Amino acid sequence: GNTAVMEYTEHVTHSASVASTYGELAGSGQQFTIHGCGIMEFGEDGIKELRVYSNALFHMLALSKGLKPAAH
């Protein structure tokens, strides 16, 4: 086929401001983990379309409101 799916995990620090559809989210200095996936459709010259889905914005919105992840 011409479609591939990847799943990924990123460990990041929200250190800088990020523009979002909810407005500017100031950096919180907090670390968190992003989980996501990407769907790639290939054409003759390589990737013709890439769609990425993740929970990054959710974490940045929560941190901007002072919420902290629960300890596991």
Side-chain angles (χ1 to χ4, degrees):
N2 65 343
T3 304
V5 177
M6 68 171 182
E7 182 178 22
Y8 65 91
T9 302
E10 297 178 78
H11 304 285
V12 300
T13 301
H14 183 203
S15 59
S17 293
V18 175
S20 80
T21 55
Y22 298 95
E24 191 81 11
L25 302 175
S28 66
Q30 297 293 312
Q31 294 182 346
F32 59 95
T33 301
I34 297 170
H35 300 281
C37 69
I39 301 169
M40 296 164 278
E41 290 186 35
F42 294 88
E44 293 179 16
D45 297 327
I47 298 173
K48 74 175 187 179
E49 185 174 350
L50 170 63
R51 295 181 304 278
V52 178
Y53 304 93
S54 79
N55 63 354
L57 181 58
F58 168 80
H59 284 292
M60 288 185 282
L61 285 168
L63 292 171
S64 74
K65 300 297 180 193
L67 300 174
K68 303 223 185 289
H72 293 2

